[in-house]
């Protein structure tokens, strides 16, 4: 029986737009695209999520690939403030979380996220008080879909994989979870009603 629901954060519990901060600070479209690519689609961004590089070192490498001093300045600004602009709570998903909690499920988060999120996650995750445990990749030095992050999740919160159900917007992460014994649902289409139907089909644990 499923007793615990594990949520991803970006594009599941929160709306995430990687270029939102660049739209706020950068007027020129070409420069905005360049900075977004070099910052938020870089290998350094993944290393930040993995917690194995500092913001300062990541920025130095990101700036090295930019074409102008102004673009480098904008990259620094965007990296410093992205968490203020790129994420918004998905309140509809907050209602889903509350319903699951009322039905007796344990509620957990497993997300690829840099240490920056430790400063602000309570402001962007809806129904945060319903969560029984939070796990960010940067704290564990591993990222989805690596098996290590799922193993850390199970160990840290004393969870049995067969009793957990994982919701993520990336199919590769769902496959990684299944390889570790945890079933799941890919929320790539962002269709909350479809997700509700899937969750309502799960027997309540109490």
């Amino acid at each position: 029986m499923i007793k615990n629901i594990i949520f991803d954060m970006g594009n599941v519990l929160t709306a995430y737009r990687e270029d939102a901060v660049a739209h706020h600070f950068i007027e020129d479209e070409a420069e905005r695209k360049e900075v977004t690519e070099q910052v938020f689609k870089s290998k350094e961004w993944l290393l930040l999520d993995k917690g194995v590089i500092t913001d300062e070192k990541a920025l130095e490498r990101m700036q090295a690939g930019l074409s102008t001093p102004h673009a480098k300045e904008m990259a620094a600004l965007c990296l410093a403030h992205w968490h203020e602009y790129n994420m918004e709570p998905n309140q509809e998903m907050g209602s889903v979380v509350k319903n699951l909690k009322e039905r007796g499920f344990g509620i957990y988060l497993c997300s690829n996220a840099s240490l920056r999120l430790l400063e602000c996650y309570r402001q962007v995750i809806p129904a945060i008080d319903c969560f029984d445990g939070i796990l960010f990749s940067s704290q564990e030095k591993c990222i989805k879909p690596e098996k290590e992050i799922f193993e850390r999740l199970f160990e840290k919160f004393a969870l049995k994989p067969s009793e957990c159900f994982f919701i993520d917007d990336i199919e590769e992460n769902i496959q990684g979870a299944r390889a570790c014994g945890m079933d799941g649902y890919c929320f790539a289409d962002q269709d909350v009603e479809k997700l509700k139907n899937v969750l309502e089909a799960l027997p309540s644990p109490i």
Side-chain angles (χ1 to χ4, degrees):
M1 173 181 282
I2 298 299
K3 297 181 180 180
N4 307 289
I5 309 298
I6 319 297
F7 287 92
D8 176 37
M9 182 171 60
N11 290 324
V12 176
L13 294 172
T14 67
Y16 178 76
R17 230 185 102 195
E18 63 190 5
D19 64 346
V21 68
H23 273 272
H24 181 80
F25 287 116
I26 305 172
E27 292 185 7
D28 181 77
E29 183 177 353
E31 184 180 64
R32 187 164 60 232
K33 182 178 180 181
E34 181 186 18
V35 170
T36 298
E37 290 280 339
Q38 197 64 27
V39 174
F40 301 108
K41 297 182 180 181
S42 65
K43 63 181 180 181
E44 287 75 27
W45 186 255
L46 293 178
L47 295 175
L48 286 170
D49 277 355
K50 203 166 185 176
V52 295
I53 192 173
T54 64
D55 278 17
E56 292 75 18
K57 190 64 177 178
L59 177 60
E60 179 184 329
R61 294 183 185 179
M62 292 167 177
Q63 288 177 321
L66 291 167
S67 59
T68 67
H70 187 263
K72 296 177 192 292
E73 179 185 342
M74 291 299 99
L77 200 57
C78 287
L79 186 61
H81 294 282
W82 69 267
H83 59 292
E84 300 168 15
Y85 297 94
N86 290 17
M87 298 179 297
E88 293 182 2
N90 183 337
Q91 299 300 348
E92 192 174 9
M93 286 298 292
S95 298
V96 171
V97 170
K98 290 176 183 177
N99 177 261
L100 290 167
K101 191 68 174 178
E102 289 169 0
R103 291 174 58 195
F105 289 97
I107 307 294
Y108 296 87
L109 180 87
C110 180
S111 179
N112 286 352
S114 68
L115 292 172
R116 181 81 57 83
L117 269 296
L118 295 175
E119 304 172 10
C120 64
Y121 73 89
R122 296 193 67 86
Q123 285 72 54
V124 297
I125 298 174
I128 185 61
D129 292 338
C130 292
F131 282 77
D132 298 289
I134 304 286
L135 187 144
F136 287 134
S137 59
S138 54
Q139 294 177 292
E140 306 302 324
K141 303 295 188 290
C142 49
I143 59 176
K144 297 178 294 184
E146 297 171 354
K147 66 177 182 178
E148 288 81 6
I149 192 168
F150 298 114
E151 291 172 348
R152 300 280 178 82
L153 173 75
F154 304 142
E155 180 182 0
K156 185 171 184 177
F157 301 115
L159 304 174
K160 294 181 180 179
S162 62
E163 295 179 347
C164 298
F165 190 81
F166 183 46
I167 301 164
D168 196 291
D169 64 313
I170 299 175
E171 179 62 30
E172 186 179 8
N173 293 340
I174 297 297
Q175 294 303 322
R178 287 182 175 141
C180 294
M182 174 170 61
D183 199 4
Y185 176 82
C186 185
F187 189 56
D189 62 5
Q190 311 286 299
D191 189 327
V192 177
E193 291 305 313
K194 281 175 61 177
L195 175 61
K196 285 180 180 178
N197 291 335
V198 171
L199 295 172
E200 286 169 6
L202 298 176
S204 298
I206 59 171

